């Protein structure tokens, strides 16, 4: 079985980053010393922030998700949360100030995102990533940029529903999210639907949305990849675009560093009238990568977006399409 690259203290050790020689991907460009920091556990009625660091959101869908969140926690947000500027939830200054304040607040236990869309990557240089409070950050899709930036700082975060999606999620997803946020115990395993490449891999779960993750290559916000298990999902991307982004990862050396690949939902990614499917393309790409890979995990933009903790150790058994979580998402206290 492949090992995770972790020592007994939970420290993942890598050499310092070296400058790019200009002759191809730097052999150590995605290495960094990491000691993983977990958020503190939540309790009922804890204060949690709701922020909109990316795109504007549909108000009824947001209110439905906010109602679900407020059943258990004390959700607070700024009065200008619903702002809109072009394709963003307000100008960068509004969104960065809102998210920075939420990340720094040590009286709150979590930060939930209203919606994805686009725009969170624009805020990364202004965020207090190294000085953030030990609170849980929850979101997915465009929020992959914030997840990756947090993992680059050695912080665990929750890849899970945004508020505009939360109200539509089944009760088992809501319960799983609460369990992940409140219990330090490892959650139950998650099953996928198909095996693309046989094998088993163990390591730290990183990644998220393929489109967003690929845009972080060459930036200081990419998480450490050595010994990791890479999660990828996407929405409304045609197969040739998925191929292009995957190829970008391959040329950048990503698949020579990670140990396995977990594929979530690739929603509405089919080419109209094509004699092949998105799954056909992904299967071929996975086989080219040659890493243990299983697909069809209920993670992403589908009807079910099961929450998972990025920055925690997992074991992927691709033959049985099973993802086992080896630790919880939050600290014991």
């Amino acid at each position: 079985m492949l090992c995770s690259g972790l020592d007994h203290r939970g420290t993942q050790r890598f050499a310092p980053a070296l400058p790019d020689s200009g002759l191809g991907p730097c052999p150590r460009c995605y290495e960094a010393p990491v000691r993983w920091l977990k958020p503190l556990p939540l309790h009922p009625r804890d204060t949690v922030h709701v922020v909109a660091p990316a795109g504007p959101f549909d108000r009824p869908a947001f209110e439905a998700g906010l109602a679900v969140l407020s059943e258990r926690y004390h959700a607070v947000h700024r009065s200008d949360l619903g702002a809109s500027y072009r394709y963003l939830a307000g100008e960068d200054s509004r969104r960065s100030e809102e998210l920075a304040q939420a990340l720094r607040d040590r009286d709150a236990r979590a930060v939930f995102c209203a919606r994805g869309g686009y725009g969170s990557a624009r805020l990364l240089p202004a965020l207090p990533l190294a000085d953030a409070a030990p609170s849980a950050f929850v979101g997915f899709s465009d929020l992959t940029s914030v997840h990756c930036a947090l993992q680059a700082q050695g912080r665990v975060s929750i890849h899970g529903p945004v508020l505009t999606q939360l109200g539509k999620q089944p009760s088992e997803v809501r319960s799983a999210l609460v369990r992940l946020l409140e219990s330090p115990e490892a959650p139950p395993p998650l099953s996928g639907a198909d095996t693309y490449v046989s094998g088993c891999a163990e390591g730290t779960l990183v990644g998220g949305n393929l489109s967003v993750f690929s845009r972080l290559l060459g930036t200081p916000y990419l998480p450490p990849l050595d010994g990791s298990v890479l999660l990828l999902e996407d929405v409304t991307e045609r197969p040739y675009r998925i191929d292009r982004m995957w190829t970008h990862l391959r040329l950048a050396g990503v698949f020579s560093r990670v140990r396995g690949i977990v594929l979530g939902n690739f929603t509405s990614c089919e080419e109209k009238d094509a004699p092949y499917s998105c799954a056909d393309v992904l299967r071929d790409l996975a086989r080219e990568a040659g890493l243990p890979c299983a697909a069809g995990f209920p993670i992403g933009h589908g009807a079910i977006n099961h929450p998972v903790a990025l920055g925690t150790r997992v074991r992927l058994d691709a033959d049985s399409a099973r993802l086992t979580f080896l630790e919880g998402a939050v600290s014991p206290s």
Side-chain angles (χ1 to χ4, degrees), residues 193-208:
D194 202 356
T195 299
Y196 284 178
V197 181
S198 295
C200 183
E202 186 176 313
T204 302
L205 188 66
V206 299

Side-chain angles (χ1 to χ4, degrees), residues 291-304:
L291 298 169
C293 178
F297 287 91
I299 300 170
H301 291 79
I304 296 177

Side-chain angles (χ1 to χ4, degrees), residues 18-78:
L18 297 179
D20 193 342
S21 66
L23 300 177
C26 169
R28 293 185 179 177
C29 56
Y30 306 131
E31 297 179 352
V34 170
R35 187 175 185 87
W36 294 101
L37 175 66
K38 295 183 178 183
L40 294 173
L42 273 74
H43 302 92
R45 307 319 306 162
D46 273 349
T47 296
V48 299
H49 284 282
V50 176
V51 298
F57 52 84
D58 175 74
R59 198 76 196 191
F62 169 79
E63 294 293 347
L66 183 63
V68 172
L69 186 64
S70 299
E71 289 175 0
R72 191 162 188 90
Y73 307 117
H74 175 55
V76 298
H77 61 78
R78 289 175 30 151

Side-chain angles (χ1 to χ4, degrees), residues 262-285:
V262 174
L263 297 180
N265 292 315
F266 282 75
T267 307
S268 302
C269 290
E270 301 299 337
E271 186 74 55
K272 185 178 180 182
D273 300 325
Y276 57 86
S277 67
C278 176
D280 293 333
V281 172
L282 284 167
R283 186 179 294 105
D284 288 346
L285 291 170

Side-chain angles (χ1 to χ4, degrees), residues 10-148:
T11 301
Q12 193 161 5
R13 300 190 179 279
F14 304 109
L18 297 179
D20 193 342
S21 66
L23 300 177
C26 169
R28 293 185 179 177
C29 56
Y30 306 131
E31 297 179 352
V34 170
R35 187 175 185 87
W36 294 101
L37 175 66
K38 295 183 178 183
L40 294 173
L42 273 74
H43 302 92
R45 307 319 306 162
D46 273 349
T47 296
V48 299
H49 284 282
V50 176
V51 298
F57 52 84
D58 175 74
R59 198 76 196 191
F62 169 79
E63 294 293 347
L66 183 63
V68 172
L69 186 64
S70 299
E71 289 175 0
R72 191 162 188 90
Y73 307 117
H74 175 55
V76 298
H77 61 78
R78 289 175 30 151
S79 60
D80 60 354
L81 180 75
S84 179
Y85 174 71
R86 295 178 180 170
Y87 38 79
L88 303 167
E91 296 188 3
D92 287 357
S93 57
R94 189 210 76 78
R95 296 174 5 261
S96 62
E97 180 182 75
E98 174 187 68
L99 182 52
Q101 289 176 345
L103 290 173
R104 284 196 187 99
D105 188 0
R106 296 185 176 274
D107 293 326
R109 283 295 175 93
V111 179
F112 289 84
C113 297
R115 178 189 171 238
Y118 168 72
S120 61
R122 296 174 58 88
L123 313 181
L124 296 181
L127 298 181
L129 298 168
D131 301 322
S135 54
F137 178 83
V138 186
F140 83 115
S141 192
D142 186 70
L143 290 318
T144 294
S145 63
V146 181
H147 283 302
C148 288

